[in-house]
Amino acid sequence: MRQIAALPYTSDPIDGSMQILLITSRDTGRWVIPKGNRIKGLAGHRAAEVEAFEEAGIHGIACPAPIGRYSYDKRKRSGKSREANVEVFPLAVTGHLTQWPEKGQRELRWFSVAEAAKAVDEPELQSIIAAFREPPADPGWFFRLLLSIREKQSERTGMLRWFHALMPKQGRFFEQFEDHAATLVAGADALAKLLKGGPDMDAHIKEISDREHEADDIIREVLQDVRRIFVTPFDRSAITGLIGVMDDAIDQMNQTAKAIALYEVKDFAPQMQDMSALIVECARITAEAMPLLRSLNINSARLHELTERLVKLEGHADILHEAGLKALYQQARAGNPMDFIVGNEIYSHLEKVTDRFEDVANEISGLVIDHA
């Protein structure tokens, strides 16, 4: 039996930590995520959105690329059980309704990532939820010193690099990376909401523009620090390269919003909406990766996992882009050719956003290779 599920998440409004929504099953009362059978005519992530609405009364932005799969034994009314294979789609929650089909039939509760992973029974689902884990704490100067000594003992590490590792790091580069990633998350959320249409499109366009201006201020500070700071945590070219591609991503989000405003587009193809959902997931992954850069040796494995998913998401976006253009061309042949021109420009900007996130993955991978 093949099923789909939504992994609803949001950020705590107070401290910004990741929160996972779990619900209880109607038969056993154990903690689960919204799930159900596939729906004919709907893509997996769209069906997951439906299940999240029916079972938990939430709506949001579901990523078209699943984050993982897990299996469990589904009991039938006859008492027999059958193995169900569930595909899990991340769902960025944007709102909670007051009424929904299964209201009162389940308990709903927000958990921290660690608590949610412990609350569910299925080991594979526990691993999937744990993938949303919080960034590890700074190990402290003593452990970093031990790592530096270990690098010194390696034949591949020269004396100059070891001495450089012991020197104090200056500047606010890590904070600036994290601040810029926050603008990506906010911009991506606004972009996905914009491509849903509706009466608040102008507000979403303004939100993207505001976040792009914030990002400009941050990259300006980074470039100033690169010129004036004597000792930097990474090579100067690596710092400017990473912050540069991050800034290109928010710039392309803003270009998308400008094109939508310029051509007064009100309705958006499913492929456009799905590409924006991929961008939301790319931004979330980038925001998780940035704090991990503070301790590359400890976090290299996790960074590899995150960059690998970014590359896969970009590949998924390419498929959506091609399918969307083909559908747009077929529609324009029988209608207004200008629709193809306008739609093609929007698709082009969306694809460039995902391309820039792939560049972010490549820059992070380069840092890991050079410094971990």
Side-chain angles (χ1 to χ4, degrees):
M1 178 184 295
R2 297 177 59 201
Q3 294 187 319
I4 47 82
L7 181 60
Y9 71 91
T10 189
S11 296
D12 187 282
I14 299 176
D15 60 12
S17 62
M18 189 72 69
Q19 300 285 307
I20 304 293
L21 179 67
L22 298 182
I23 62 176
T24 55
S25 64
R26 288 186 293 185
D27 50 356
T28 63
R30 61 191 179 88
W31 290 109
V32 297
I33 56 178
K35 67 179 184 298
N37 296 328
R38 289 182 170 273
I39 301 175
K40 186 176 181 179
L42 284 183
H45 65 293
R46 297 293 187 188
E49 290 179 344
V50 173
E51 294 296 334
F53 158 68
E54 292 181 348
E55 297 183 0
I58 55 176
H59 55 84
I61 303 161
C63 177
I67 197 170
R69 296 169 177 81
Y70 73 97
S71 301
Y72 76 102
D73 291 329
K74 181 176 178 60
R75 293 191 176 275
K76 297 183 177 181
R77 294 180 179 177
S78 62
K80 297 181 179 180
S81 63
R82 181 181 179 185
E83 184 181 71
N85 297 307
V86 188
E87 206 169 28
V88 182
F89 297 89
L91 177 72
V93 177
T94 58
H96 204 299
L97 305 175
T98 57
Q99 297 292 330
W100 61 93
E102 297 184 14
K103 181 178 181 181
Q105 301 178 28
R106 305 172 185 271
E107 182 182 349
L108 282 65
R109 186 185 304 174
W110 287 100
F111 291 83
S112 70
V113 174
E115 291 172 342
K118 292 178 181 179
V120 299
D121 292 338
E122 299 81 2
E124 293 169 314
L125 180 56
Q126 291 175 353
S127 299
I128 292 172
I129 295 176
F132 279 71
R133 64 181 181 266
E134 302 299 325
D138 186 359
W141 70 269
F142 182 72
F143 189 67
R144 289 196 299 270
L145 178 60
L146 291 179
L147 289 174
S148 299
I149 293 173
R150 188 183 68 178
E151 288 185 355
K152 174 181 178 293
Q153 295 171 343
S154 171
E155 294 180 358
R156 296 180 292 105
T157 305
M159 179 62 71
L160 180 60
R161 180 176 173 183
W162 175 75
F163 179 73
H164 184 271
L166 291 178
M167 294 182 68
K169 306 297 187 293
Q170 301 181 32
R172 294 182 56 255
F173 295 111
F174 294 120
E175 290 87 348
Q176 290 161 338
F177 288 149
E178 293 163 22
D179 290 345
H180 199 293
T183 69
L184 293 176
V185 170
D189 288 346
L191 180 64
K193 293 175 182 177
L194 173 62
L195 268 68
K196 294 283 187 181
D200 298 326
M201 292 180 63
D202 289 342
H204 300 322
I205 291 173
K206 184 179 184 304
E207 173 73 10
I208 296 169
S209 177
D210 290 344
R211 299 293 79 78
E212 192 270 340
H213 291 321
E214 286 183 17
D216 284 343
D217 293 337
I218 294 170
I219 192 173
R220 193 177 301 113
E221 293 175 3
V222 171
L223 296 178
Q224 290 174 350
D225 287 349
V226 165
R227 288 193 293 267
R228 69 181 181 84
I229 298 297
F230 181 71
V231 179
T232 57
F234 309 124
D235 294 339
R236 298 173 194 277
S237 60
I239 293 173
T240 57
L242 176 57
I243 199 68
V245 293
M246 291 172 65
D247 201 59
D248 289 341
I250 189 69
D251 285 344
Q252 285 299 326
M253 294 182 205
N254 195 36
Q255 290 299 319
T256 308
K258 285 183 176 180
I260 291 171
L262 175 64
Y263 299 117
E264 299 180 346
V265 182
K266 302 298 182 183
D267 299 312
F268 303 93
Q271 293 89 346
M272 290 183 182
Q273 295 177 348
D274 288 349
M275 289 182 74
S276 70
L278 286 173
I279 290 169
V280 170
E281 178 70 353
C282 287
R284 182 194 68 80
I285 293 172
T286 301
E288 180 184 346
M290 289 303 107
L292 304 181
L293 298 181
R294 296 172 180 265
S295 302
L296 285 173
N297 283 287
I298 300 172
N299 301 316
S300 58
R302 179 58 178 165
L303 285 168
H304 175 72
E305 294 173 359
L306 295 176
T307 54
E308 184 178 24
R309 179 155 172 81
L310 279 176
V311 172
K312 289 181 179 179
L313 290 173
E314 192 277 335
H316 198 124
D318 285 343
I319 296 173
L320 289 171
H321 179 225
E322 293 173 4
L325 277 183
K326 183 175 182 180
L328 186 64
Y329 176 71
Q330 291 173 344
Q331 294 171 2
R333 289 180 64 182
N336 185 358
M338 280 299 300
D339 291 341
F340 179 81
I341 296 173
V342 173
N344 180 54
E345 182 170 348
I346 295 174
Y347 272 121
S348 177
H349 289 307
L350 290 171
E351 184 192 28
K352 288 176 181 177
V353 177
T354 59
D355 287 344
R356 299 295 79 77
F357 278 113
E358 183 182 27
D359 292 340
V360 170
N362 293 335
E363 291 288 343
I364 294 173
S365 295
L367 288 174
V368 173
I369 291 171
D370 291 341
H371 296 274

